[in-house]
Amino acid sequence: LAKVQAKRPRRFAVTYDVNGPHVRLGFLWFVLVMGALFAGREALTAVYALTAALAGFQAARAWQPLGRPANAYLAAAIGGAVGASAYFGPDAVGLAVLAAVGVAIVAAFVTDESRRLPLVAVGYTLQCGLFVGLAAASPVLAFRVDIGAAAALIILVSVYETGDYLVGSGSKNAVEGPLAGITAIAVFAFALWVVTFVPFRENSLLVFGALAAGLCPIGQLAGSAILPRSDARASGVRRLDSLLVLGPVWVVAVWSYTEVL
């Protein structure tokens, strides 16, 4: 029994899928989002909204074999809609969140699969779609403040995930990967600080780098909380998990910082 329990995946953990060309795919993702960033707000919104839709769908499908009444198509629509609403600003994101809650409630009472446990269905559907949508909205909202704020967010998250995967995928403990990611953030935050990355002035970028270093690992654990188990196959969720906590906090912090300026 002890051996069987030891093999079970931990509920909250950072897992690394070493099957397939994940390093190359990660690099292509970075090229895609940076290309979308410089192409404009429309392209950046499209990339992240589609990713959130995929994440919502995959998360809900991961719960269904366990008998949880998560609506996969509605979760995908919520993730994509909340992510896309960021194009129109924070007020639109708030309205999208309220609409998502309302639609999830209505759907839970009219769908045959959800009617037996409607409130449970609402909870699981929103859990799968809402948070990834907010994560996807964050780079777009940061872009509305300044393209440099969005670029810094994307770069720091990308270098964290690179360091975390390269070291963590070959490590036997759960600490080395995140520590490598945090170290990568420290190096790149210092480099961006040296070149005076707009809109950050003086030592502010180092503070934002520390914010990213502290919240990226927490976001990965939040990604596990969305899923039924840490190793559930949901590449869309794992593509956004570092932004789950950092993204919204980053946007609020950048807004506050630029208002002070």
Side-chain angles (χ1 to χ4, degrees):
L1 179 59
K3 292 183 179 179
V4 173
Q5 290 178 340
K7 294 180 180 179
R8 290 179 180 174
R10 286 171 292 175
R11 179 67 180 85
F12 300 102
V14 180
T15 58
Y16 307 95
D17 187 356
V18 296
N19 298 315
H22 290 284
V23 174
R24 281 174 285 174
L25 290 175
F27 176 74
L28 289 175
W29 168 257
F30 177 73
V31 172
L32 175 64
V33 294
M34 290 303 292
L37 177 73
F38 290 106
R41 197 166 81 221
E42 295 84 356
L44 189 67
T45 302
V47 168
Y48 275 104
L50 290 173
T51 305
L54 174 64
F57 181 82
Q58 290 177 330
R61 288 295 295 269
W63 280 106
Q64 289 174 352
L66 301 178
R68 304 300 192 272
N71 188 319
Y73 293 101
L74 182 55
I78 289 172
V82 173
S85 67
Y87 178 83
F88 302 100
D91 292 340
V93 173
L95 291 175
V97 170
L98 293 176
V101 174
V103 171
I105 292 173
V106 172
F109 284 94
V110 301
T111 306
D112 292 336
E113 295 81 3
S114 306
R115 199 172 295 166
R116 291 184 297 105
L117 297 169
L119 296 182
V120 174
V122 171
Y124 276 103
T125 300
L126 291 177
Q127 173 180 315
C128 294
L130 185 58
F131 299 109
V132 294
L134 290 172
S138 301
V140 182
L141 292 175
F143 186 99
R144 291 177 60 89
V145 177
D146 190 279
I147 188 174
L153 174 61
I154 293 171
I155 290 171
L156 293 179
V157 166
S158 297
V159 299
Y160 172 82
E161 292 177 341
T162 300
D164 174 49
Y165 183 83
L166 291 178
V167 175
S169 59
S171 175
K172 294 183 179 180
N173 62 67
V175 177
E176 292 181 2
L179 284 179
I182 291 171
T183 301
I185 284 181
V187 172
F188 274 80
F190 181 77
L192 295 177
W193 171 70
V194 169
V195 299
T196 312
F197 205 76
V198 178
F200 305 100
R201 296 288 185 271
E202 298 179 351
N203 297 327
S204 61
L205 188 52
L206 298 179
V207 176
F208 278 88
L211 185 70
L215 296 183
C216 279
I218 297 176
Q220 290 178 308
L221 297 179
S224 295
I226 290 174
L227 301 170
R229 62 182 190 274
S230 59
D231 66 342
R233 297 187 65 84
S235 57
V237 175
R238 290 307 179 188
R239 185 52 59 196
L240 294 172
D241 61 1
S242 297
L243 285 169
L244 285 170
V245 179
L246 172 62
V249 174
W250 181 280
V251 171
V252 173
V254 165
W255 280 341
S256 301
Y257 174 70
T258 53
E259 286 180 0
V260 171
L261 287 178

